[in-house]
Amino acid sequence: MADEEMTEGSEKSFKVLGILDIKNVPCARESLLYGTLGALAVGLGHFLATSRVRRSCHFGMGGFVLTTLGCWFYCRYNNAKLRIQQRMLQEAVRNKILFESTPFDPGKKTVTNSEGSRS
């Protein structure tokens, strides 16, 4: 019974605001963690500089939003770029396998001898 509860507990995921599944969405976990650290740094830094609590909370929230969105877009951009590179590499390997040892092989060097015939 305890083993079943452990497997069920490990399959559960954490949802933020009931819509963002941290476990299944790429870049979500890192973005939220960096956003939290950014909010703490900005809010605490502003508080130490000005000693205004309410305004420091506003700055902290702004730091959270900006850091989270910045990390999110940066990570998603890199993931999209990586997927495009993987797709191009898969296509190149597929073409290499398909055209290997044929006259259409792009890696095959065509050598012409002095008589003008190809070999």
Side-chain angles (χ1 to χ4, degrees):
M1 187 74 163
D3 292 333
E4 292 174 8
E5 290 176 7
M6 287 295 286
T7 57
E8 287 177 11
S10 63
E11 292 175 4
K12 290 183 180 178
S13 61
F14 182 71
K15 290 188 178 184
V16 175
L17 300 175
I19 55 172
L20 182 63
D21 189 7
I22 301 292
K23 183 178 177 184
N24 296 328
V25 177
C27 304
R29 180 178 179 265
E30 292 82 10
S31 297
L32 288 174
L33 288 175
Y34 285 129
T36 304
L37 288 176
L40 184 65
V42 170
L44 187 61
H46 189 269
F47 176 73
L48 291 175
T50 63
S51 296
R52 292 181 168 178
V53 177
R54 184 177 175 145
R55 195 166 188 191
S56 297
C57 289
H58 291 170
F59 269 78
M61 189 61 191
F64 172 76
V65 170
L66 290 177
T67 308
T68 302
L69 289 177
C71 290
W72 174 270
F73 287 123
Y74 178 75
C75 183
R76 296 295 285 193
Y77 173 76
N78 282 338
N79 280 352
K81 190 168 64 170
L82 182 65
R83 272 188 264 122
I84 290 170
Q85 289 173 348
Q86 286 175 341
R87 200 175 308 130
M88 289 173 57
L89 188 60
Q90 285 176 345
E91 185 68 26
V93 169
R94 189 177 303 122
N95 285 340
K96 176 70 176 167
I97 292 170
L98 184 65
F99 294 124
E100 194 172 25
S101 300
T102 64
F104 302 111
D105 188 2
K108 186 177 180 182
K109 304 280 186 191
T110 56
V111 178
T112 57
N113 56 13
S114 60
E115 299 170 358
S117 64
R118 297 169 75 176
S119 59

